[in-house]
Amino acid sequence: MKSIKILFLIVTITLSSCESLLNKQFDDTLSDSQILRDPSLMMGMQTSIYNYMPRNDFSYNIIGGAMLDCATDDGMESSGSSDIHNMTNGAWSPNKTIDDQWWRLYAGIRKCYLFFKYIDQSTVTNNIVLDANGKPTENSQLRERLKAETVFLKALFYSELLKRYGNVPMVTSILAPDTTKLDIARTPYATVVDSIVRWCDQAAAVLPVIYSDGAKGHATKGAAMMLKSRTLLYAASPLNNPTNDKEKWRLAAEAAKAVIDFSESNGNLYVLNTNYAAPFSTPFDKEIIMPDKYYNRNDIEFSNVPNGYSKGQGHTNPTQNLVDAFEIKINGVYVPYDPTNLAHEAKMYSVDRDPRLAATVLYNGVSFKTRNVETFVGGLDGLNKTIDYTKTGYYLKKFVLPEINLDLGTAMKPRAWILYRYAEALLNYAEAENEYLGTPDASVYQRLSQVRVRSMGVAGNLDASLNWTQDQMRTRIRNEQRVEFAFEEHRFWDVRRWNKGVELFNAPVYGISITKTGTTLTSTRFKVEDRIFSSKMNFCPLSQYSVLKAPITGQTDSWK
Amino acid sequence: MMMKIKNNLSIYKHLMSFGFIVLSFIPSGVFGQTDRPGSPDSTITIGYNVKTNTAAISVIRGSELETHATDNLSNALGGLLTGISAQQMGGVPGSDGSNLWLRGFRTLSGGASQPLVLVDNAPGDYTMLDPNEIETIKVLKDAASTAIYGQRGANGVILVTTKRGKAGRMSIKLDAQTGFQELVGLPTFLNSYEYGKLFNEAKFNEGSPIPFYDDATLAKYKDQTGNNIYTNPSVDYIGQFLKPNAPIQRYSLNISGGSSFAKYSILLGVMDQQGFYKYAVEDPKYSTNASSTRYNMRTNLDIQINKRLSVLFNLSGQIARNKSPFVGNSTIWSTIMHELPNSYPIFTPTGMLGGTSTKFNNPVGLMSRSGYQEVNNRNMQAMLEATQQLDFITKGLTITVSGAYNGFNTYGYQKQQSFAVYSVDANLVQTKFGLDKPLSDGTDLSNDMNYTTSLWGSINYDRSFGDHSLQATVMTYLDQKFIPRYSPYVNLNYGATLNYGFLKRYFLGGSLSKSGNDNYAPGSRFGLFYSFSGGWDVHKESFLSESNILTQLKIRSSYGLVGNNGQVSTQRYLYQTQYTTGEGYPFGTTYSSTSGTVESQAGNPYFTWEKSKQFNIGIDGGLFNKVYFSFDYYTDNRFDMLASPMNKLPDIFGSTLSYTNIGKVNSKGIEAVLGVNEKMGDFRLNMELSATFSDNKVIENGEVNGLSSNLQGIGKQSFGEWGLKSLGFFYDAADIANSPVQKFGTYAPGDVKYADLNHDGIIDGNDKTRLGGTGIPNLFTSANLKLSFKGFDIGVQIVGLFNREVYIPLEFSNAIPNGGKLAVGAYSRWANYTDQNGNVVDTRSTALYPRLLTTVSTNNTQNSTLNIKEADFIRLKNIEIGYTLPKAWMKAIKLESIRLFCNGYNLALLYDQAKIGDPEYPGAPIWSYGKTRILSFGASLNF
């Protein structure tokens, strides 16, 4: 038996050395060590995070072919099968989520933490790089810059989560796939806001003011400041500030003012384009603070050109409600449009309307491409001509480039989804300062007018001598936000944060029916459809599956 | 090990001289009885010279495989080996094998369900071997026999041992058989006239009352004479393009013999299987028919170097060439199964190929003028094994070292050709579409290789001390599979086993293994596996040993832990976070993407193998020395099974994982065998009935908590399709109005009505439930009957598969996805209308299928109990009848023996529950290639 033991020992010892055979002989997968060695792979990790910005490849007609604003009183989606209708017909629920960004935003956050884990051990340099004039370039201290960009993106993802779901769980590391540790409680809204603000400050301190042509599109200092402004504005708004804590408005006004001051002190870094429509088709226009992915595209035109034009699908139909929101110039002064005023009605589509109307809406008789738009009943683009034609009597003009030939299919122009533009900084300031002060001061009139005058000319100017009350001013500012940012995914959230959804979204939307008899046109407003909104819809529901997986995190408060 | 088998064979030696067929009479080792647990001295040798008296093992001899005229050995195992259930999927020459399950399907979706297969203890494939190469196939079923295979043992192990030479004079055996295959289970399609009439009905159902095909047109379809065959063709695709039968043949030559110093066994085999395509080119330079030709060769040598050292050397290879037309078998079968009978005439009046501007799929062209492809596979195995007696250390001690190589190369080659088709109009004017192009220069279709090396060593101790017997083994095993571009796939095992017997009556067994695989995280690659077992030969007790009734009785039981590291997915190293380049983003003013780097797989540091706790209890016995029986009950409780965790992982995780070890499934089953041996003068009978029952229940599968009960997988069987429960067809508009709304597109009376299983008033995807539909039976039974009288012998095998469902393709009914071809099943459609002649057609009370439509109805084509049907069946799987010429005649022709035989495989269905196509896999002709029946005859000569 002793011999057996000896043999056993010999065999065991010999073969124990074989265990190294189980080590990988070479790595046929891309592992973290390769990423650490190769700066371009490391930078690629950062690059890919940008794909998790809110809209990205799917911007514009994202929800079953519809724009998000078709779930507001501004728009109507023409295709009856689009999911967007479920947002306004009461079907929206945990069993029927729409535009559900929950998983995607946390996927973006995970990518941020993966990047943070590796960047400091990577070969991406942190050297000072100077240009010919001896000034540091955007690639100076590249490692710190990439980290700051990532901090900005992380803050952006949280701000989107906050906007959509209210209180949300805070993830602060790369999570292991351990089911028992991933179901965590939600962090209160205010705490998340504090974190976002801190991250924005942190990022803004490092991020470049501007990039060279080859690197444009990376997060800038202005973008971080703008994110802070919007976050604080939302936090101060009635939905999230039910006690109307003025201090929150002060912080919001301050953050917006900081963007304005930053721009003005940097030789007017951001400028409102004198052509309202131009920034949407001019890459990196000086009005744009943060774009979300420029690429050559024609999907905007395919989706929105009126159906009567070749290949046009006419998805987005602005409502009469929106058309009525554009002011009208009477005796040289812009006043709110009044549908009950026959003098106004006679000039519904005249040059006296706020020029932004024509820049936003295609209405009957307006020239578009090679002919005039015909939305009258029976017209080439006529109301309800088939099931996919306009449901309201209007088509979308904003963002749509008539010069793009859809028959070619290959004709494209670079466009991005505009995340932040300078007009928002001005209106954020006007809104917050008005709310903070109680009675608007000259600065409120000044910033509001800045936005108006760009489109309306001097006739749009408002000054302090009007002596508006806070309420009067609020009404004008909110209307200004509506028309200035129509179809830019502002109103969907603005009405919610103002807590005005039950009033504005639980109401019918209207269209215009124009009948043509000879050359006579007769217009009649008509109800397109009723809309359903209840206060729980101020936030988005989580899918029932997500809730079942994480009962502690649970359902969005308003949907419980 | 070899000694053991040789001893066994010596028992049959006198029988063998009467012809090899007698070997096939030995069902599961019953006559020899040394390889069957429960029999006297039933010590079975499994891998690495390990011996056991207590394990659950089924054994057959290679000779039993010879009676099945199939080219693929996997088709013969179901029904011969208790514990194995099988399903043959189709008849493609060269790849018509069966899916096998050992003790049923015991895994979840993520883990591999197939048993480990070893040929002469090395990784290999037995399915392409010639039956004459095989000595035994052993199926190791319980932990007592599989625990030493560690991470790879849980699904059971199939151990194949090849034939070795025996000392004695040279024996030459020549087997030749030739026969033909016939197609079974094809749909019966309607001709153009029948089709046209029903098409009109479909149009009517869609709201167009005017017949699409008027009476004059229909009359022409009916009258296939004169020009009607061109202007209004009615093509019988099956009859016109598939031959009623196709040849198959097999020859093998086996030479063996040797001395006490060296023994040899040499085999040469040829197998040729042809396809059914009628119009294929049979040019000697190249053939476009489907075919498979295989050559098998093997040399097994045993050399006794000296008194203590013996060496085994095997060299074997399989060369296979599989051919098909360029477009591939599935395109041809799909065309035959889907092209409408009235689409175009196959030949135009001038003999050109028919077609239309959009239909270039004339099967004559596909078969003969599309070109061809051929795939050449080369398998080569070599093995060298040495055993040294270590008597000088202590008696009974041996050491064995064995190394093997198994290489695989494949090279596929194709040449393409194209053909023009001609449309024929009412005036017989022909218009040409497409171009005739000659065979192109060839291109590579596939070109790949891999090889596996394996190495094992064992030290065995086998000795008796008075009433005590002891067999102990320590072993180690390593195999590495090398595929170019990838890090090798490595398995490494250490094991030790102990088999102790007292008074040859009481047995104890134990095994322990440490088993590792490269797929897991460093430090977590090895697992410990074990088994304990015991046996009691009750018959040896004094109170039974004199019994004439109970002539054998043994009880055995085992318990152990075994692993399963097989994955369905080929993704490796799931413990490791992996990245890939992708998700670029366009920065700057060029609007082109800057490359990104993304996490493609979140690492799961806990990733490990599936574990199985297996319990087995069995009883083996005999009555009157004639009847024998065996009964096993087992449980297999698995945990750490692979399943998708995404329904458990809260979304804030932010990444995806393919598998984690969250699954739990409990399986259990019963295997029973009852046999009779009878011998009266020259008359011999053996009949054996066997049944394999298996069932399982999901304990945890990773599904989200709180699902409605119909959607829950937990508590149900771990495999099968999901689908809706059909309630028949909507009777009328009132029926629709009174039923829940169905969310699968439009529907009307005559369309399928589904059950609201979650009671929410809406029929949608949430009303699905587990339907079965995987073809795996819970109960697999077989009956084997063998009779011989003087020179005559007959063997009959019947198999029965019960408690199973299969997916019935819509082609057998009427709702064909392309809106086209109709089979006779269409006459069982729902209909309710008055035809042109005022006749009321109302089949509402008898309809088996929904109303006819010319376009696809998504409502009617949902997975449901309408197309996933219970399909139990009993098949007369095989018969062989033989006649061995009288011994007296042999002397004159200097032959040892001659046996003439004929056999049939897949002969008939004795019971068929579904009655649609071939119940084993009805989709075979639709999706790949029809299933075949094989009839063959031959001779076996011993020199």
Side-chain angles (χ1 to χ4, degrees):
Chain A
M1 294 306 258
K2 196 181 164 194
S3 325
I4 291 180
K5 280 179 192 160
I6 291 166
L7 270 166
F8 184 78
L9 273 173
I10 292 168
V11 171
T12 312
I13 291 163
T14 317
L15 292 161
S16 293
S17 59
C18 291
E19 294 197 10
S20 63
L21 284 166
L22 294 191
N23 293 333
K24 276 200 213 175
Q25 297 199 358
F26 55 90
D27 213 334
D28 44 37
T29 56
L30 192 54
S31 68
D32 43 12
S33 59
Q34 281 167 277
I35 291 169
L36 292 175
R37 274 199 304 274
D38 183 340
S40 71
L41 286 173
M42 188 67 232
M43 286 169 71
M45 273 186 89
Q46 207 283 325
T47 297
S48 67
I49 307 173
Y50 277 91
N51 287 295
Y52 291 78
M53 288 205 292
R55 283 315 182 202
N56 222 265
D57 282 345
F58 312 104
S59 51
Y60 297 90
N61 294 69
I62 45 157
I63 302 166
M67 298 186 74
L68 183 66
D69 283 48
C70 288
T72 73
D73 52 355
D74 284 354
M76 172 76 194
E77 160 63 35
S78 69
S79 165
S81 61
S82 169
D83 229 6
I84 194 89
H85 299 292
N86 292 317
M87 272 183 155
T88 54
N89 65 12
W92 199 18
S93 78
N95 288 320
K96 179 73 201 163
T97 58
I98 299 152
D99 192 22
D100 191 342
Q101 299 282 328
W102 179 256
W103 185 87
R104 187 167 169 269
L105 289 165
Y106 279 104
I109 291 165
R110 180 183 180 86
K111 283 171 192 295
C112 294
Y113 282 105
L114 276 168
F115 173 81
F116 292 140
K117 177 181 170 185
Y118 294 117
I119 181 64
D120 283 332
Q121 314 157 42
S122 77
T123 48
V124 173
T125 70
N126 217 14
N127 300 341
I128 309 279
V129 182
L130 302 178
D131 65 12
N133 303 322
K135 288 174 70 184
T137 72
E138 68 214 13
N139 291 325
S140 205
Q141 292 186 288
L142 182 57
R143 189 189 286 179
E144 291 309 310
R145 188 197 99 198
L146 293 175
K147 280 157 75 176
E149 285 180 59
T150 309
V151 169
F152 162 79
L153 288 166
K154 178 174 71 167
L156 176 62
F157 299 151
Y158 272 106
S159 78
E160 283 292 317
L161 282 167
L162 212 52
K163 177 172 85 177
R164 289 163 186 273
Y165 305 102
N167 305 341
V168 290
M170 289 274 276
V171 173
T172 52
S173 60
I174 306 162
L175 297 173
D178 182 344
T179 42
T180 57
K181 290 181 184 149
L182 292 174
D183 183 16
I184 57 174
R186 292 172 183 242
T187 301
Y189 191 100
T191 312
V192 183
V193 168
D194 289 346
S195 297
I196 294 172
V197 167
R198 199 174 63 246
W199 292 329
C200 288
D201 290 344
Q202 210 179 313
V206 177
L207 287 173
V209 171
I210 194 163
Y211 289 89
S212 64
D213 278 358
K216 278 192 158 74
H218 283 280
T220 58
K221 179 173 184 169
M225 295 175 76
M226 197 61 218
L227 170 56
K228 178 180 171 182
S229 163
R230 192 188 281 185
T231 303
L232 287 171
L233 183 76
Y234 274 59
S237 297
L239 179 66
N240 304 311
N241 182 15
T243 59
N244 198 21
D245 178 353
K246 295 269 185 184
E247 179 61 13
K248 290 186 176 172
W249 286 115
R250 190 185 66 77
L251 290 171
E254 211 174 83
K257 187 70 177 16
V259 179
I260 297 166
D261 290 347
F262 164 69
S263 170
E264 291 177 349
S265 65
N266 277 281
N268 288 326
L269 182 64
Y270 303 121
V271 180
L272 295 182
N273 194 314
T274 49
N275 177 350
Y276 170 74
F280 304 115
S281 56
T282 313
F284 307 109
D285 183 87
K286 285 196 85 176
E287 183 172 343
I288 293 164
I289 298 179
M290 187 72 205
D292 187 347
K293 199 171 200 172
Y294 272 108
Y295 61 99
N296 279 302
R297 59 198 297 182
N298 55 12
D299 58 306
I300 305 169
E301 285 71 29
F302 271 108
S303 295
N304 297 307
V305 163
N307 305 55
Y309 294 82
S310 178
K311 306 258 167 76
Q313 297 165 8
H315 274 280
T316 310
N317 308 150
T319 60
Q320 188 64 42
N321 313 41
L322 175 67
V323 170
D324 290 348
F326 290 89
E327 295 181 5
I328 188 165
K329 190 161 63 179
I330 302 291
N331 302 325
V333 178
Y334 276 103
V335 297
Y337 185 84
D338 179 3
T340 61
N341 183 330
L342 292 177
H344 287 194
E345 284 286 87
K347 298 204 282 182
M348 194 195 284
Y349 305 130
S350 73
V351 291
D352 291 336
R353 293 301 297 272
D354 179 342
R356 284 175 293 187
L357 171 60
T360 305
V361 178
L362 284 177
Y363 42 78
N364 187 58
V366 74
S367 168
F368 182 72
K369 293 200 175 210
T370 52
R371 63 171 171 83
N372 290 348
V373 172
E374 297 182 0
T375 62
F376 60 82
V377 176
L380 291 171
D381 317 298
L383 178 70
N384 291 328
K385 187 172 176 185
T386 74
I387 54 165
D388 289 329
Y389 278 59
T390 178
K391 297 270 185 299
T392 61
Y394 298 108
Y395 290 98
L396 185 70
K397 172 69 176 69
K398 200 170 178 176
F399 318 122
V400 176
L401 297 180
E403 66 265 34
I404 287 192
N405 183 342
L406 294 180
D407 285 322
L408 289 178
T410 51
M412 300 191 198
K413 288 255 164 136
R415 261 81 54 80
W417 182 250
I418 308 302
L419 195 57
Y420 305 125
R421 58 187 177 96
Y422 189 51
E424 184 183 345
L426 298 169
L427 292 180
N428 282 2
Y429 172 78
E431 180 184 353
E433 188 71 359
N434 181 50
E435 298 295 341
Y436 172 62
L437 292 175
T439 307
D441 68 3
S443 72
V444 177
Y445 289 92
Q446 181 205 345
R447 297 307 177 189
L448 174 62
S449 296
Q450 231 176 310
V451 175
R452 291 165 58 86
V453 167
R454 169 264 289 272
S455 298
M456 299 166 153
V458 286
N461 193 52
L462 303 167
D463 67 51
S465 62
L466 287 165
N467 277 327
W468 283 342
T469 63
Q470 185 188 36
D471 286 348
Q472 283 173 313
M473 180 55 97
R474 181 188 297 129
T475 308
R476 294 303 281 262
I477 291 171
R478 286 183 178 178
N479 196 66
E480 194 60 31
Q481 286 164 326
R482 179 179 192 178
V483 298
E484 174 70 18
F485 299 122
F487 298 101
E488 292 183 58
E489 297 195 0
H490 277 247
R491 188 162 178 84
F492 184 91
W493 302 109
D494 282 345
V495 168
R496 283 171 164 76
R497 68 182 174 86
W498 298 330
N499 220 346
K500 289 282 182 190
V502 174
E503 183 183 317
L504 297 168
F505 289 170
N506 193 42
V509 288
Y510 294 91
I512 193 92
S513 173
I514 303 169
T515 51
K516 188 175 184 185
T517 320
T519 54
T520 315
L521 297 175
T522 317
S523 301
T524 322
R525 283 180 164 72
F526 71 98
K527 184 167 86 177
V528 177
E529 66 175 14
D530 286 314
R531 294 276 177 89
I532 294 171
F533 183 93
S534 56
S535 58
K536 66 183 176 189
M537 295 180 192
N538 281 322
F539 293 100
C540 301
L542 241 61
S543 89
Q544 193 56 33
Y545 265 74
S546 298
V547 175
L548 288 171
K549 288 197 279 190
I552 297 172
T553 301
Q555 183 54 271
T556 307
D557 283 336
S558 65
W559 285 88
K560 274 179 181 163
Chain B
M1 183 175 71
M2 289 305 131
M3 287 302 291
K4 196 95 237 164
I5 286 166
K6 271 179 279 182
N7 287 341
N8 300 342
L9 287 173
S10 66
I11 296 169
Y12 313 131
K13 212 172 176 183
H14 66 287
L15 293 173
M16 285 177 72
S17 64
F18 288 100
F20 81 99
I21 180 56
V22 182
L23 262 183
S24 70
F25 266 74
I26 314 307
S28 308
V30 161
F31 284 157
Q33 293 183 337
T34 48
D35 267 5
R36 189 177 192 87
S39 309
D41 303 323
S42 62
T43 307
I44 297 187
T45 303
I46 54 174
Y48 324 117
N49 302 337
V50 168
K51 295 185 172 66
T52 175
N53 288 68
T54 52
I57 297 171
S58 303
V59 187
I60 51 162
R61 300 195 174 281
S63 51
E64 295 197 53
L65 301 167
E66 292 172 26
T67 59
H68 287 63
T70 168
D71 63 308
N72 189 307
L73 289 186
S74 65
N75 294 334
L77 297 195
L80 284 174
L81 281 156
T82 307
I84 283 191
S85 38
Q87 182 190 19
Q88 190 182 358
M89 307 301 275
V92 185
S95 53
D96 55 355
S98 297
N99 287 339
L100 298 184
W101 296 275
L102 208 164
R103 292 196 154 172
F105 186 97
R106 290 180 276 166
T107 59
L108 275 172
S109 53
S113 59
Q114 301 300 304
L116 173 67
V117 176
L118 296 169
V119 179
D120 290 329
N121 287 326
D125 176 16
Y126 69 97
T127 62
M128 293 292 159
L129 298 184
D130 187 284
N132 283 302
E133 284 179 80
I134 292 174
E135 179 69 43
T136 60
I137 296 182
K138 296 185 182 116
V139 174
L140 315 186
K141 298 187 282 195
D142 69 343
S145 53
T146 59
I148 53 160
Y149 296 96
Q151 284 189 16
R152 294 194 291 173
N155 293 329
V157 181
I158 296 179
L159 279 184
V160 178
T161 309
T162 58
K163 242 177 216 174
R164 313 206 69 83
K166 288 159 277 287
R169 78 172 190 88
M170 182 168 75
S171 142
I172 301 173
K173 179 170 170 256
L174 177 66
D175 280 355
Q177 60 176 304
T178 179
F180 55 88
Q181 316 158 73
E182 289 178 343
L183 290 162
V184 296
L186 303 182
T188 307
F189 291 113
L190 303 187
N191 63 31
S192 291
Y193 171 72
E194 298 163 314
Y195 165 77
K197 288 215 309 187
L198 289 180
F199 190 85
N200 285 344
E201 178 181 316
K203 278 285 179 195
F204 177 85
N205 286 339
E206 288 167 358
S208 52
I210 303 155
F212 187 85
Y213 296 108
D214 59 23
D215 286 346
T217 309
L218 289 175
K220 286 180 185 168
Y221 283 140
K222 203 171 186 181
D223 176 24
Q224 285 292 298
T225 58
N227 288 339
N228 288 353
I229 61 169
Y230 302 116
T231 58
N232 294 79
S234 181
V235 179
D236 168 13
Y237 277 78
I238 290 176
Q240 180 151 9
F241 297 110
L242 296 176
K243 295 177 189 172
N245 55 62
I248 182 167
Q249 45 201 320
R250 187 167 79 201
Y251 305 95
S252 71
L253 175 67
N254 191 350
I255 303 171
S256 66
S259 63
S260 57
F261 164 68
K263 296 182 274 286
Y264 56 91
S265 175
I266 296 165
L267 176 127
L268 283 173
V270 186
M271 201 291 306
D272 181 77
Q273 188 180 14
Q274 292 293 317
F276 290 89
Y277 305 145
K278 235 182 207 175
Y279 289 91
V281 175
E282 307 288 0
D283 188 304
K285 290 198 295 286
Y286 74 95
S287 153
T288 64
N289 213 333
S291 72
S292 172
T293 309
R294 190 180 72 211
Y295 303 91
N296 289 65
M297 54 211 82
R298 172 175 296 277
T299 302
N300 284 3
L301 297 178
D302 296 40
I303 299 164
Q304 195 72 40
I305 307 267
N306 60 38
K307 215 174 80 186
R308 294 203 169 97
L309 177 63
S310 59
V311 171
L312 271 52
F313 175 70
N314 295 359
L315 187 63
S316 56
Q318 300 82 41
I319 297 172
R321 186 176 63 224
N322 298 329
K323 288 185 177 178
S324 78
F326 174 81
V327 294
N329 291 319
S330 56
T331 301
I332 287 179
W333 280 83
S334 174
T335 303
I336 290 170
M337 294 294 144
H338 294 119
E339 195 47 66
L340 299 174
N342 61 347
S343 286
Y344 50 80
I346 298 307
F347 294 105
T348 68
T350 56
M352 306 310 244
L353 296 183
T356 73
S357 62
T358 55
K359 294 194 171 180
F360 295 89
N361 61 350
N362 189 314
V364 174
L366 298 180
M367 288 174 182
S368 64
R369 298 192 210 166
S370 79
Y372 67 97
Q373 49 177 256
E374 68 171 61
V375 177
N376 292 280
N377 295 329
R378 300 279 182 277
N379 288 273
M380 189 201 133
Q381 301 90 31
M383 183 196 91
L384 186 63
E385 182 173 317
T387 300
Q388 170 81 47
Q389 310 280 345
L390 298 174
D391 293 2
F392 54 86
I393 296 173
T394 181
K395 199 166 167 263
L397 192 67
T398 56
I399 181 166
T400 303
V401 178
S402 179
Y405 166 91
N406 184 358
F408 171 73
N409 279 281
T410 182
Y411 174 63
Y413 181 78
Q414 58 188 5
K415 280 194 169 191
Q416 191 176 2
Q417 187 179 2
S418 69
F419 55 93
V421 295
Y422 294 80
S423 69
V424 181
D425 71 7
N427 302 317
L428 301 187
V429 175
Q430 300 184 23
T431 312
K432 181 178 177 180
F433 298 102
L435 290 173
D436 284 307
K437 282 188 197 157
L439 274 179
S440 66
D441 288 340
T443 52
D444 285 3
L445 179 66
S446 57
N447 192 351
D448 216 342
M449 65 83 73
N450 66 64
Y451 65 95
T452 305
T453 59
S454 57
L455 185 67
W456 62 269
S458 70
I459 297 168
N460 299 281
Y461 183 67
D462 185 349
R463 196 163 168 188
S464 298
F465 308 87
D467 292 333
H468 307 272
S469 67
L470 181 68
Q471 286 124 0
T473 303
V474 289
M475 55 75 60
T476 182
Y477 172 93
L478 168 73
D479 74 36
Q480 290 173 282
K481 181 171 187 175
F482 297 89
I483 303 176
R485 308 179 296 280
Y486 301 112
S487 190
Y489 295 68
V490 189
N491 289 288
L492 180 57
N493 275 19
Y494 308 110
T497 66
L498 192 70
N499 190 40
Y500 167 76
F502 179 62
L503 293 171
K504 295 188 173 176
R505 203 181 298 168
Y506 309 107
F507 301 97
L508 282 177
S511 60
L512 185 66
S513 77
K514 183 183 171 194
S515 164
N517 186 281
D518 66 301
N519 197 29
Y520 304 104
S524 310
R525 287 177 174 143
F526 283 87
L528 275 181
F529 304 90
Y530 59 84
S531 73
F532 309 103
S533 54
W536 178 26
D537 194 339
V538 187
H539 189 257
K540 290 239 174 68
E541 298 290 348
S542 53
F543 56 86
L544 269 182
S545 57
E546 300 301 314
S547 167
N548 293 327
I549 303 166
L550 203 56
T551 46
Q552 281 176 34
L553 188 65
K554 182 175 175 182
I555 298 168
R556 58 193 154 69
S557 184
S558 69
Y559 179 78
L561 176 74
V562 201
N564 174 20
N565 64 17
Q567 292 172 196
V568 170
S569 150
T570 54
Q571 205 177 359
R572 300 171 78 186
Y573 313 126
L574 295 181
Y575 68 88
Q576 191 188 39
T577 298
Q578 291 169 29
Y579 299 86
T580 179
T581 52
E583 296 195 7
Y585 188 92
F587 293 117
T589 47
T590 55
Y591 318 114
S592 56
S593 216
T594 309
S595 90
T597 309
V598 290
E599 183 188 49
S600 56
Q601 161 70 47
N604 170 14
Y606 319 110
F607 183 66
T608 184
W609 51 89
E610 177 175 313
K611 296 167 191 72
S612 165
K613 284 186 174 161
Q614 302 184 352
F615 167 77
N616 192 88
I617 185 160
I619 184 165
D620 308 294
L623 299 167
F624 313 110
N625 279 322
K626 279 180 185 164
V627 176
Y628 58 94
F629 60 87
S630 176
F631 180 87
D632 277 272
Y633 169 79
Y634 68 86
T635 61
D636 175 354
N637 293 346
R638 295 204 181 189
F639 56 102
D640 281 354
M641 299 179 84
L642 304 189
S644 165
M646 295 314 289
N647 290 324
K648 290 277 191 214
L649 275 181
D651 297 325
I652 64 167
F653 175 53
S655 188
T656 51
L657 279 179
S658 48
Y659 302 129
T660 54
N661 303 91
I662 49 178
K664 290 191 178 96
V665 172
N666 288 354
S667 302
K668 59 177 186 288
I670 292 167
E671 284 139 21
V673 179
L674 177 66
V676 184
N677 289 315
E678 187 62 274
K679 187 175 160 186
M680 287 184 295
D682 291 331
F683 179 80
R684 281 168 171 269
L685 163 85
N686 167 247
M687 194 171 79
E688 183 173 297
L689 303 173
S690 107
T692 300
F693 172 80
S694 55
D695 191 16
N696 76 31
K697 193 162 94 172
V698 176
I699 307 300
E700 177 57 80
N701 61 2
E703 72 191 13
V704 70
N705 299 321
L707 289 173
S708 62
S709 61
N710 58 303
L711 289 174
Q712 281 174 16
I714 289 175
K716 297 174 188 159
Q717 201 161 262
S718 72
F719 54 91
E721 300 270 348
W722 291 88
L724 301 160
K725 204 168 162 242
S726 158
L727 296 178
F729 313 105
F730 284 111
Y731 193 80
D732 52 22
D735 189 10
I736 290 179
N738 294 329
S739 305
V741 178
Q742 304 196 166
K743 296 278 191 184
F744 309 110
T746 57
Y747 57 99
D751 287 332
V752 187
K753 178 178 176 179
Y754 298 109
D756 183 12
L757 294 184
N758 66 353
H759 310 293
D760 62 352
I762 295 169
I763 312 287
D764 57 13
N766 290 329
D767 292 298
K768 286 181 180 170
T769 188
R770 226 350 156 205
L771 295 183
T774 58
I776 307 171
N778 286 124
L779 178 61
F780 189 96
T781 60
S782 66
N784 286 284
L785 172 74
K786 291 159 188 176
L787 280 170
S788 73
F789 180 70
K790 298 209 166 163
F792 291 95
D793 59 77
I794 179 166
V796 178
Q797 183 182 57
I798 293 168
V799 296
L801 280 70
F802 300 95
N803 207 357
R804 67 192 284 275
E805 288 84 15
V806 289
Y807 188 88
I808 310 265
L810 299 164
E811 282 79 351
F812 282 97
S813 57
N814 60 5
I816 300 178
N818 68 7
K821 201 158 178 165
L822 296 173
V824 288
Y827 285 125
S828 307
R829 86 291 184 200
W830 185 100
N832 179 31
Y833 65 101
T834 306
D835 70 14
Q836 294 159 278
N837 307 325
N839 300 318
V840 175
V841 180
D842 183 354
T843 64
R844 286 183 292 180
S845 56
T846 56
L848 299 177
Y849 303 113
R851 69 189 173 126
L852 296 171
L853 292 168
T854 66
T855 55
V856 183
S857 158
T858 50
N859 181 76
N860 294 351
T861 51
Q862 297 294 314
N863 262 9
S864 75
T865 48
L866 197 66
N867 48 29
I868 293 174
K869 289 204 157 160
E870 293 179 0
D872 296 354
F873 68 92
I874 300 174
R875 190 193 292 283
L876 176 55
K877 189 175 172 188
N878 206 68
I879 291 186
E880 175 157 288
I881 299 168
Y883 177 63
T884 305
L885 270 50
K887 183 90 177 154
W889 302 2
M890 292 301 113
K891 283 189 180 139
I893 49 172
K894 304 257 164 62
L895 277 177
E896 196 71 23
S897 69
I898 297 180
R899 176 172 173 267
L900 305 172
F901 60 89
C902 60
N903 55 30
Y905 170 77
N906 249 351
L907 278 178
L909 286 166
L910 306 178
Y911 168 68
D912 179 7
Q913 186 180 23
K915 293 193 181 63
I916 299 170
D918 186 87
E920 196 159 350
Y921 184 61
I926 312 294
W927 297 317
S928 61
Y929 193 106
K931 203 173 140 101
T932 57
R933 166 191 299 146
I934 304 174
L935 299 167
S936 114
F937 63 91
S940 179
L941 284 67
N942 274 8
F943 299 91

